Amino acid sequence: MLKGMTRLVSRVHKNCVIFILEQCRGSCTYGCLPWKRETSWLDPGRFSHLGTQAPQCPVAHLDNQVPTERTRAISRTLENDPAKHGEQHVGQHYNISIQELKTVFPHGLPPRFVMQVKTFNEACLMVRKPALELLHYLKNTNFAHPAVRYVLYGEKGTGKTLSLCHIIHFCAKQDWLILHIPDAHLWVKNCRDLLQSTYNKQRFDQPLEASIWLKNFKTANERFLSQIKVQDKYVWNKRESTEKGSPLAEVVEQGIMRVRNATDAVGIVLKELKRQSSLGVFRLLVAVDGVNALWGRTTLKREDKSPITPEELALIYNLRKMVKNDWQGGAIVLTVSQTGSLFKPRKAYLPQELLGKEGFDTLDPFIPILVSNYNPKEFEGCIQYYLENNWLQHEKAHTEEGKKELLFLSNRNPGLLERLCAYL
Amino acid sequence: MAAPSVSCGAAVPYRLFLAGRVSFAREQGLWKAAASGLQTGTRCQILRLKHSPAVTTTKNVAALRRESYTVDFIKKQIEEFNIGKRHLANMMGEDPETFTQEDVDRAITYLFPSGLFEKRARPIMKHPEEIFPKQRAVQWGEDGRPFHFLFYTGKQSYYSLMHEAYGKVLHAEERQDQLRAKGLFSEKSKSKDLIGSRWLIKEELEEMLVEKLSDQDYAQFIRLLERLSALPCDAAEEEFVGRFRRTVTVQSKKHLIEPLQYDEQGMAFSTGQGKRKTANAEAVVYGHGSGKIEINGVDYLLYFPVTQDREQLMFPFHFLDRLGKHDVTCTVSGGGRSSQAGAIRLAMSRALCSFITEDEVEWMRQAGLLTTDPRVREPRRERIYPKRKGGAPRQIFWGLGARWEVERTKIPPQGQQSCRAEAEPGCGRWADNQDEELGSPATHRPGRDHRCYPGADDSSVDTRLQIRARGGGLTCLGCTGRLTSSGNRHLLWAARSLDAETWHVSIGGTVHFHPRQGAGPSLTVTASHLRTQQAS
């Protein structure tokens, strides 16, 4: 706080463009642009750009928002294919085009990230170590072996869901079939309409959730649905049935159109996919966010106010079968999260705590992958990204002290940092 | 311990009473009213006096003539005080010769423990000089001629002081001119006298002169003194000026800075403690680190999910530009989220003092980082009876809306155990019970909804109804007749069911129901929470 100005001046001195600075300051203080807003031209990276045009007044160049090479080198990478991401890309953002976003992620992105995409008009994900590790494992999977389960765990706001999205993007690019459940917690709470299951009287149907999920599933995996053929005959009711050998798209259509049968349609889809991925026709990725919901408690009650356990919900029951590693030809990537979980303490983040005994035993063995807060490089990259997009408007935000303050207040937690920066 | 102790004993109560009303002469009338009441009564009458309107209303003060203490009276008080002090020392088993005022205070708090929140209302025993406001002796002689030549200015002490000061100023200027004429004039700095001390404030000066001053008078006087102190003075004048100055302690010199300690690895660390409201924290700040803070073994991000608390923790480091340079481990207990954050902040600032320069410590102190926050939760009395402007008292009623519990006590003739039956007021069978029991005192049925205690004897002669108010009842003391406010519906209901024509409420919370002529016995009702409070 006390030595801020001296630091700025010393930084300028290193780049030997004090002359430029003085000129700019003299002309810009009362000029067209408020220089507190122009964070970019005070950055050290800028001066290499301005230095080549020393004799002219650089006022005109302040209009350009083009970030220079140096800042881009920290925060962005041009490598947009997740398959080619490596250690050197850690801390950098890569771009996903909007069309790809619509097809690959009809659901599943965290809501705040969706807002950010809308604001910045671009979708950029940061490449991080846990995701890279998982990508490495996935690239080296042996599809003849049973599906390996990977569990992403970590404290709140560290980036588990976005790492999962990174993996999903990779698998989509590699032409896998993505079975993505965006948030399993949504299926165990706040369900308005619970119907008794048509298939099994003991269980309950959730038509709304199932139909929404089917719609999104269809959007994500359009091309596969016509290729995969159903291997059993399914009778929906007296008038409708699906014959053996018909494409899976029909089942999905049936589920979307007849909302009553949506849950059963989901069950059928899951069963078929599990059966057929072992045959090697396609590779299946099962991605569940908040898998600890499958073994926790629900807030749903029957008419007589007795609580419902998760296995009495048909969706959860079928999903549990999916998450078992008794099939080949794919991988299962899971996330455990406390946010949205029911009856779990705030500070719990380890798989054992969140899954409970039953869940842990079911999922055992799995590969745990810890997602932690940003390391300094990633933090720097994130801040640079925000600065480039002019998201941080505070005049101190680009200074070292400002960065230190943000670092302290958020303790390098990505979620918190994002929320803090939203106010600046 | 005959007369002197009695006087000591009597001295204490009215000093007790006075404690709240000391310091200015205009309160004398009040004291006199109290004293005249007190000399007749005992201690409980003092409490009575507190409640009676005569003391608390202001109009009676003006009506009374201003009394002044005579010199003899004050002398007698001083003698009594000294003797009383010796007796107190004897009582406490201490040596009367070396019994200081602090010992007196301690003894009084021990002998008369008081839970009153207002510290000035507690019993004190102090020298009469401190208790009785300073009075001016009679200013004129028997012939009516005043003694002082400035008496008719109205503020004789003030003007005489000004006169004296101005005389000294003239004298000093004259001397200065003489020195200049001789060529021996030299500039002498007087600043060393003035640093570390301040002028008297107006109240202190008024107290010294025993006279009321206006702001302009005071300002004039201070200007004159400053003018005097600016001139070269000799010792007598400096002593004169010194009488009107008080020393001011420099705050920061009080603060001790701990030296750095080193642990086994050679890492420098320092500890500090902090408090805020009811939270206590202890912090250990290490010299080199990456800005990690651990609280009770948990990372500070998890311990304080609220940004505001983390900003509080950031403040000392950010102020000193040392973000990310120190590691901190702290333990905290008590209080809530915000007070724990404040306590940790204070502890960290104090620990950081060992790592920084003196100037930075002074800056921190000025920023308020090293000061314990004195704010605590207000005592309940202040929240319920807030102080009002003008000192007008406010009537407070306790506990509106009582839940009345009917308790019937049968008074057995020879003191045997009584049978108690309790019934809900709204149960509807109350009237039946009453008829039964009043009519035939011998019967009670265990099957009805009242409880009977074992060992009860049915033969009773007298029936007395006791209606107890649970959770407080409302009534107006001294009222009789019909009261229609909702809080008194219980009384109304009780009266109706008891067939009482009128009722009368007396001090102490007893309600007497008077039935119609010949209808039944008169009934007494005690409501334990019925009372009226007068708030000051």
Side-chain angles (χ1 to χ4, degrees), chain B residues 191-206:
Chain B
S191 53
K192 63 175 176 5
D193 294 316
L194 303 180
I195 285 179
S197 59
R198 57 164 179 89
W199 290 117
L200 278 189
I201 52 173
K202 183 169 162 246
E203 277 74 22
E204 284 173 348
L205 189 60
E206 280 183 354

Side-chain angles (χ1 to χ4, degrees), chain A residues 1-4 7 155-156 346-347 349 373 396 400-413 416 420 423, chain B residues 290-293 298-305 307 310-311 313-315 317-321 323-325 348 360 363:
Chain A
M1 186 181 90
L2 303 163
K3 307 178 200 112
R7 284 221 194 94
E155 283 170 12
K156 185 170 163 179
R346 181 172 64 90
K347 301 207 179 152
Y349 71 98
N373 291 333
K396 286 254 183 75
E400 281 300 321
E401 299 124 12
K403 282 186 201 151
K404 279 194 194 163
E405 283 185 47
L406 283 173
L407 199 145
F408 187 97
L409 281 179
S410 64
N411 202 18
R412 291 200 289 250
N413 185 296
L416 266 181
L420 268 179
Y423 294 113
Chain B
S290 57
K292 265 196 335 224
I293 302 188
V298 176
D299 193 43
Y300 72 106
L301 196 68
L302 295 179
Y303 197 82
F304 289 127
T307 314
R310 275 174 277 131
E311 279 173 13
L313 296 189
M314 190 173 77
F315 185 16
F317 295 110
H318 182 244
F319 186 77
L320 298 168
D321 263 332
L323 275 172
K325 289 197 192 142
M348 284 202 304
E360 288 182 322
W363 291 336

